[in-house]
Structure formats: C-alpha cells, structure tokens
Amino acid sequence: IAITCLEDSFDSLSNAIAKETNVPVENQKLIYKGKSLQPGSSLSQQGLSPGCKLMLIGSCEEVARPEAFAALDAVDREVKAMEAKLDDLNSEYAGFSNGFTPQNLRRQAAQSLSKRLLAFNDRGERGLERLDGLSLGDAAATSRVRARRKDLADRLQAMLNISDSLLQDLLRMAEEAGFSLD
C-alpha cells in the first residue's frame, strides 16, 4: 500500500490495509522499525517516510457481530430456564422414586411426569436444532462464538441425557408396578 501523505492518520492507513488485506482494523498490529504504531497521531509523527516498509500482524478472523452474541444470549436464557425446569423434574422424580407419592396416585403422577419429561425432551431437541440452524454469518469463524455455541450445545445435550435417563427409569418403574404411561 502506497502512503500518499505522511500527514494521514494511523486510522486512515489501518482502514486502507483492512480494505486491501481483509484484516479488520481491530485485529491489526502495525510495526515499523520494531515499534508498534499508535492510533491518534499522523504517520510522520511516528517516523514513517516515503517507501518505508511496515509489518502487519493480524488475523482475518472477524470480530463477532453483536447480533451473533444476541442470538446466543437468547439461547443461553432458554438453556438456563431449561436447567431450572430439569431441577424441578428431577426433584419430582426423586419424590416419586423414593415412594413419597401415595400408592393410589402413582399411576397418575407417573403419567404426568412422563408427559412433562417428553415435553422437556422436545424443547431440548428444538434448542439443539435452533443452535444448529443459528445463522451467525461471518461470526461463526470466531473462536469465542464457536466455543459459546459448543458450550450451549453440550449443556443441552447433558440435560437431554439426564431427562432420557429419568424417563427410562420411570418407564421401568411403571412396568414393574404393572401400569402403562400412555
């Protein structure tokens, strides 16, 4: 990139480099004669001269767009609500499996709990589908977005595993007691 005016600002040079290299300004570090160039001063104030060579250290990885984080925030809120719901379902299952439900209400309680566990599983699967289909655009390349998306998917999957386990135990107990959960 040819520097046409040494009175240009660091920002104008960074923007020109971003346009030429696809390295966003916020991911750039420009070095001249072993020193990092600093924003806010002209190129001549930083010692640059015509024909000088700069070193660019940077990454084409884009900074995640705010809407990508907003979408993940919405999924995160849903996952937190599901975690609280699973705690409730788990407590109810514990009461049922420990015999705290009166005998004459066990079938009805088991059927009700079974329906809520199935609904929970559907909600979790929709959450995984939502994460999978989430359009993060170019932000999908950022490691922070990928890591957050993976964490949410892992949390959802862990909850689904617990819910599935509770449902299987509930089905087994109903079978042993001689009733169906249908």
Side-chain angles (χ1 to χ4, degrees), residues 38-173:
Q38 301 300 315
S41 56
S42 72
L43 300 177
S44 64
Q45 289 173 324
Q46 298 196 57
L48 275 72
S49 58
C52 68
K53 293 185 180 183
L54 302 175
M55 180 169 57
L56 167 65
I57 298 173
S59 167
C60 290
E61 179 176 80
E62 288 194 23
V63 173
R65 300 176 315 197
E67 58 267 20
F69 283 110
L72 289 173
D73 285 343
V75 174
D76 190 30
R77 285 189 298 276
E78 176 73 11
V79 168
K80 285 178 182 171
M82 288 183 67
E83 288 169 337
K85 180 67 175 173
L86 183 60
D87 285 345
D88 292 343
L89 290 169
N90 207 0
S91 293
E92 187 174 339
Y93 168 81
F96 181 85
S97 66
N98 289 326
F100 298 135
T101 306
Q103 194 63 33
N104 62 334
L105 299 177
R106 286 184 68 75
R107 180 179 181 169
Q108 182 182 359
Q111 287 173 334
S112 174
L113 182 55
S114 171
K115 286 179 185 174
R116 285 182 281 130
L117 284 168
L118 289 169
F120 181 88
N121 285 352
D122 286 344
R123 185 177 173 188
E125 288 170 10
R126 284 192 312 272
L128 286 172
E129 289 169 3
R130 185 173 171 198
L131 268 179
D132 189 45
L134 202 57
S135 175
L136 301 176
D138 295 332
T142 66
S143 57
R144 279 183 48 203
V145 170
R146 278 194 321 264
R148 186 153 180 226
R149 185 184 215 169
K150 182 178 181 338
D151 174 64
L152 289 169
D154 289 348
R155 287 166 55 196
L156 276 169
Q157 192 58 58
M159 286 188 292
L160 286 172
N161 291 342
I162 292 168
S163 178
D164 281 339
S165 176
L166 294 176
L167 190 56
Q168 292 305 311
D169 285 349
L170 192 61
L171 287 169
R172 181 189 47 77
M173 284 189 277

